[in-house]
């Protein structure tokens, strides 16, 4: 079943989620004009999960979000402890400038998730690329992966699926990269 999360239909979303073991979400705006879809869609997902008693939520965010201010985190750290020289001084500042509205949306999405009573995990990849599944990547709990610049969408999906049954990932932000 397909549900438009830019303008969510609560009944359709509950029907799609009901009976699931977990919800995996890759919501995010492709352009600045679409910014808001992550916050709006995630708010609807959380409501539907509560209504259907589904507890496990795993979402994709983005590596720079840990340093993006939001209502729930108005004074985030200036640098992520996992960022090396390139990401700290070039990659992350460029990305925040280029994708500011999208990143603000993801930061608000993360606020909603952290404030929920769900069993959540936030995956933060750096640059996403279209490549086949490798099945080998690095993870870092509570920070970005040191030296991680890229990862394929298929490997992020693999990491999300792997986290579903891993209790130690609940309530954690996980960096994922090659």
């Amino acid at each position: 079943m397909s549900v438009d999360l830019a303008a969510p239909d609560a009944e359709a979303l509950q029907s799609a989620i009901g009976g699931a073991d977990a919800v995996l979400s890759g919501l995010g705006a492709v352009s600045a004009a679409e910014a808001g879809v992550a916050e709006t869609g995630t708010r609807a997902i959380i409501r539907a999960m509560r209504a259907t008693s589904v507890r496990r939520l795993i979402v994709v965010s983005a590596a720079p979000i840990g340093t993006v201010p939001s209502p729930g985190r108005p004074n985030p750290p200036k640098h992520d402890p996992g960022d090396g020289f390139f990401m700290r001084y070039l990659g992350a500042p460029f990305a925040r400038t280029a994708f500011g509205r999208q990143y603000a949306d993801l930061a608000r999405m993360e606020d909603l998730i952290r404030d929920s009573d769900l069993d959540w995990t936030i995956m933060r990849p750096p640059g996403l690329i279209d490549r086949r599944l490798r099945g080998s990547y690095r993870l870092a709990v509570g920070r970005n992966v040191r030296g991680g610049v890229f990862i394929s969408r298929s490997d992020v999906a693999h990491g999300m699926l792997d986290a579903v049954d891993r209790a130690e990932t609940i309530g954690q932000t996980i960096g994922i990269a090659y």
Side-chain angles (χ1 to χ4, degrees):
M1 174 180 279
S2 174
V3 177
D4 177 5
L5 290 173
D9 174 332
E11 190 174 305
L13 194 51
Q14 287 176 25
S15 176
I17 289 174
D21 293 327
V23 173
L24 280 65
S25 172
L27 283 174
V30 175
S31 69
E34 295 173 350
V37 70
E39 178 184 16
T40 300
T42 300
R43 185 181 314 279
I45 288 169
I46 290 170
R47 282 190 200 122
M49 290 179 72
R50 287 179 178 146
T52 58
S53 299
V54 175
R55 302 264 331 133
R56 190 70 170 109
L57 174 63
I58 302 174
V59 302
V60 176
S61 186
I65 303 305
T67 61
V68 174
S70 66
R73 293 181 65 218
N75 300 304
K78 187 173 180 171
H79 303 289
D80 185 283
D83 286 346
F85 179 85
F86 174 79
M87 286 304 292
R88 182 173 287 189
Y89 296 106
L90 300 171
F94 170 78
R96 281 193 303 272
T97 301
F99 304 111
R101 291 185 65 198
Q102 293 98 314
Y103 284 177
D105 182 28
L106 290 173
R108 291 188 307 272
M109 173 194 77
E110 287 192 12
D111 285 349
L112 290 171
I113 293 165
R114 278 191 302 275
D115 291 343
S116 78
D117 57 349
L118 300 174
D119 296 335
W120 57 266
T121 301
I122 297 170
M123 304 291 279
R124 287 188 182 155
L128 294 171
I129 56 176
D130 292 321
R131 296 254 170 89
R132 290 179 185 249
L133 177 68
R134 283 176 34 180
S136 81
Y137 41 82
R138 296 178 295 145
L139 300 173
V141 177
R143 62 180 179 83
N144 292 335
V145 173
R146 172 75 73 181
V149 179
F150 297 105
I151 188 166
S152 72
R153 288 171 175 82
S154 54
D155 279 313
V156 172
H158 185 272
M160 293 171 75
L161 287 168
D162 185 57
V164 168
D165 293 321
R166 293 182 53 211
E168 69 272 16
T169 67
I170 293 173
Q172 298 293 331
T173 301
I174 312 261
I176 181 170
Y178 293 134

